[in-house]
Amino acid sequence: MSAGNAGDTSRDDEAGRGGSIKVDIWSDVACPWCYIGKRKFEIAVDSFTARGDGSARRVDVVFHSFELAPHLPLGVARPIREYLRSDKGMGEEEVSAQLQRIEQIADKVGLDINFEVNSVANTVLAHQLVHYAKGYGKQGEAKEALFAAHFTRGRNVSDLEELAAIAEEIGLDRAAAVRSLAAGEHLSAVREDEELARSYGIRGVPFAVVNGEYGVSGAQEPEVMERVLEQVWSEAQAG
């Protein structure tokens, strides 16, 4: 995570140890509520870690894959308004009202979501890039970069060359990332995430599992997530 003292997402083998809290988050980079939820969660983590009473508070985050539109063809990006009308059966007024509401909520947490340039696309390659980046300690950076590319700049996160550029922008080797994505090296990791989500009964995202015990659904307000972190921390300290 990019927030305050949130742990490096590549160190999930250490998460939950030494007094830290592990949070597993299922999300899709094409989900606006996941982007909003990520930022709200970061605000909660900043507040939670800042309230330490002399003991180091740490939150280790691991992102997991969840595809909202796996049926879409790779490489093809469809305008969001067209997609909502044709695939979701929404009327134009309903589409406009919903998108405007999301943009307003995003703005309140400092996010620039621009549905005028945003499209809907298959995200399986984007999820594989997140897994690839995790091996280099950059999972959180990759997730943030993909969200911003998709929702703010209208880039096609289904396109291999766009993903290669994003990989390079966060300091990864472009050619190596392309080879990995083209070979599907992390496709099995994406499928394992999705299977784990099914085993938990997760049907929508964002969805967070805190210390493998508490499930939190939706883009919750920061104070809600902070209360969950405080409760889990208190229980860990008492135990």
Side-chain angles (χ1 to χ4, degrees):
M1 299 288 290
S2 60
N5 296 312
D8 186 324
T9 56
S10 69
R11 294 194 290 269
D12 57 307
D13 58 325
E14 298 177 2
R17 300 179 187 175
S20 65
I21 294 174
K22 180 182 178 183
V23 182
D24 295 278
I25 299 177
W26 276 262
S27 63
D28 192 349
V29 299
C31 165
W33 295 113
C34 294
Y35 196 13
I36 292 168
K38 179 177 182 292
R39 191 62 83 247
K40 288 182 176 181
F41 178 72
E42 290 169 346
I43 294 170
V45 170
D46 280 342
S47 181
F48 168 75
T49 54
R51 292 175 57 191
D53 54 0
S55 57
R57 292 181 169 203
R58 180 182 177 86
V59 179
D60 291 289
V61 181
V62 180
F63 288 106
H64 297 275
S65 306
F66 193 102
E67 297 174 80
L68 290 175
H71 62 285
L72 295 178
L74 275 171
V76 178
R78 295 172 55 192
I80 182 68
R81 289 179 178 274
E82 173 196 310
Y83 176 78
L84 292 177
R85 289 195 303 267
S86 62
D87 288 45
K88 300 299 182 181
M90 297 172 62
E92 184 57 42
E93 288 188 6
E94 184 182 5
V95 168
S96 295
Q98 178 170 305
L99 297 184
Q100 182 180 36
R101 174 172 171 263
I102 294 172
E103 287 178 344
Q104 291 172 344
I105 293 173
D107 183 65
K108 290 179 180 179
V109 291
L111 295 179
D112 179 17
I113 289 182
N114 182 4
F115 285 118
E116 295 306 312
V117 300
N118 180 242
S119 299
V120 178
N122 184 301
T123 56
V124 69
L125 283 178
H127 285 297
Q128 290 178 66
L129 177 59
V130 175
H131 279 283
Y132 175 81
K134 180 181 178 181
Y136 296 89
K138 291 179 175 287
Q139 190 188 44
E141 288 182 57
K143 196 76 173 182
E144 182 68 25
L146 287 163
F147 273 132
H150 181 68
F151 285 110
T152 302
R153 295 187 287 278
R155 297 167 71 176
N156 182 0
V157 295
S158 178
D159 181 77
L160 183 59
E161 286 304 308
E162 282 285 9
L163 294 173
I166 292 169
E168 187 173 35
E169 288 162 13
I170 64 172
L172 296 172
D173 183 276
R174 181 185 184 119
V178 168
R179 285 195 296 271
S180 177
L181 294 177
E185 288 180 349
H186 296 280
L187 180 58
S188 61
V190 173
R191 298 300 179 230
E192 288 169 8
D193 279 351
E194 293 171 336
E195 180 58 35
L196 185 56
R198 284 190 288 271
S199 73
Y200 277 135
I202 298 172
R203 297 182 179 179
V205 288
F207 195 97
V209 177
V210 184
N211 266 8
E213 186 175 359
Y214 296 93
V216 183
S217 177
Q220 297 291 339
E221 293 301 318
E223 55 268 24
V224 174
M225 288 305 305
E226 187 178 354
R227 284 199 298 270
V228 173
L229 294 174
E230 286 288 353
Q231 179 178 341
V232 172
W233 178 261
S234 297
E235 291 175 356
Q237 299 306 301

